[in-house]
Structures are given as structure tokens and as C-alpha cells.
Amino acid sequence: MKLILLGPPGAGKGTQATRLTEKFGIPQLSTGDMLRAAVKAGTPVGQQAKAVMDSGGLVSDEIVVGIIADRMEEPDARKGFILDGFPRTVAQAEALDAMLAKKGMKLDSIVELKVDENALLARIENRARETVAAGGTVRADDNPEAFKKRLEAYRVQTAPVSDYYASKGVLKVIDGMAPIDAVTKALDKALGV
Ligand code: AMP
């Protein structure tokens, strides 16, 4: 199974992707996680990406397409993957199409988690609180100022990605405001499993 989860920051893509990973035994390819790992490791990509990530902006298409292309080459991604946080621009979606065509691969599903934007900041604040309670480190961009910019980036650059897939007739939309288990059920239905 090869699928894309779309939706704004805080929509629950990560939570649902983790569940799908367990269910199907395929990896979750989260560009955000990969970039955070690069920042932590201090790689050249991490050094380039850190400031823009912290402020809530988008890292360049070139960098992100490069890391996802490398990741898709790894053996565990051969039988399938869940893309989480990628593609985030139409240019990335086009680059993904080209990458998949070259590999003779096809996406099975593209699902958008539709959420009420007014609820998102509260979800992000909740995630930060839960992280602190679990003794973890809060993401540098999980604060109201960076979040505003992340939402703006979503509206301007990522919402057109949904239109891109909708115009091809391959976008499924589910209600991401429902409780987590109900979203999982709706997702299973959308995926036909
Ligand atoms: P996420 O964990 O998906 O919320 O991503 C965290 C941050 O990483 C984003 O706000 C961007 O700065 C960066 N990022 C992650 N994925 C992408 C992408 N596909 N394109 C550009 N920037 C990205």
C-alpha cells in the first residue's frame, strides 16, 4: 500500500500514520521527522533547514524532494509507505509523480484529513503539554507564533496540493475532527481495508 495523508498541522496525520504502520507493516515517511533528525544530527541539510523550520516556514522543494527520494530507495519502502507531511507544494507533488513513474510505482490512495482550523492551535498546545508531561522536548515550532506561519504555509502552498489530486479524481476526504478511533475507522473505509 502506497498512500499520502494530507491535512494541516495538527490534523492527526502522524497519529493515524503510526496506526497504519502497525497495521500494514509499512514505514511512515515523515519529512518533518527526517528533517528534525537532520537538525539534531547537525548534517548540512539540518543546518540549512533549522531556521526556516523553527519559524514555521517551508524548507526548499529541492532539499525535501532529495531526502524523500533517498528514503524511498531503502528496502523497507519497496512494498509500500505512508507519506506524512509530503508533498507540501504542487512542485513536490509533481516531483513525486515523476519519481514514482521512474520506479514503475503507483499511489493507491491520497486521503485528506479535513479539520476545523479553529481547533488546531488547541491541538498543538495539547501536544506540547503531553510531550512535557512525558518528559520529552517540545518541538521548536509548536508555539503560537510559528504555528500561525505553519497554518499560513498550509493555506497558501499545501491546500493547492489537495486541489491537484482532486482534479485528477483521486482525492478522498475524511472528517479529521472525529475522535481518533473514529478517524481510524473512516480511514480504513476510505482505503477499502
Ligand atoms: P511536520 O512535522 O510535518 O509538521 O513538519 C515540520 C516542519 O518541517 C515544517 O513546518 C517545515 O518547516 C518542514 N517540512 C516538513 N515537511 C516538509 C515538506 N514536505 N516541504 C517543506 N518543508 C517541510
Side-chain angles (χ1 to χ4, degrees):
M1 160 130 12
K2 298 172 195 72
L3 85 114
I4 302 178
L5 285 182
L6 292 171
K13 301 185 296 293
T15 303
Q16 296 300 331
T18 302
R19 290 183 168 200
L20 291 168
T21 287
E22 285 159 13
K23 205 177 303 173
F24 296 111
I26 52 175
Q28 167 187 3
L29 308 189
S30 157
T31 41
D33 285 349
M34 293 177 218
L35 288 166
R36 278 185 290 278
V39 169
K40 207 170 162 196
T43 65
V45 161
Q47 285 172 13
Q48 257 179 288
K50 187 180 184 327
V52 63
M53 286 175 76
D54 286 355
S55 74
L58 288 189
V59 174
S60 77
D61 289 335
E62 196 190 346
I63 287 183
V64 177
V65 169
I67 60 171
I68 208 84
D70 287 348
R71 183 64 185 85
M72 278 170 60
E73 284 298 317
E74 287 177 36
D76 66 335
R78 217 159 277 155
K79 66 173 180 167
F81 46 76
I82 303 147
L83 290 172
D84 162 14
F86 179 93
R88 244 181 172 95
T89 64
V90 171
Q92 290 177 19
E94 288 169 346
L96 175 65
D97 279 349
M99 231 185 281
L100 293 172
K102 220 164 121 189
K103 291 174 186 289
M105 285 180 172
K106 210 173 160 288
L107 292 165
D108 295 293
S109 292
I110 297 128
V111 183
E112 178 184 340
L113 302 183
K114 195 104 195 150
V115 287
D116 172 3
E117 276 192 12
N118 296 319
L120 294 177
L121 181 58
R123 282 190 180 193
I124 292 285
E125 285 174 340
N126 196 36
R127 172 159 81 191
R129 262 195 305 274
E130 283 174 4
T131 304
V132 171
T137 310
V138 174
R139 279 173 52 166
D141 60 354
D142 269 355
N143 63 73
E145 201 185 321
F147 183 73
K148 224 174 123 190
K149 200 161 165 209
R150 286 161 66 198
L151 208 51
E152 184 63 18
Y154 177 78
R155 280 194 207 109
V156 176
Q157 288 166 280
T158 310
V161 174
S162 294
D163 299 337
Y164 174 83
Y165 290 117
S167 72
K168 291 173 179 262
V170 291
L171 180 72
K172 291 170 192 142
V173 181
I174 63 172
D175 175 17
M177 293 305 292
I180 293 176
D181 287 345
V183 176
T184 301
K185 261 198 185 149
L187 194 48
D188 283 349
K189 202 171 156 208
L191 300 177
V193 295

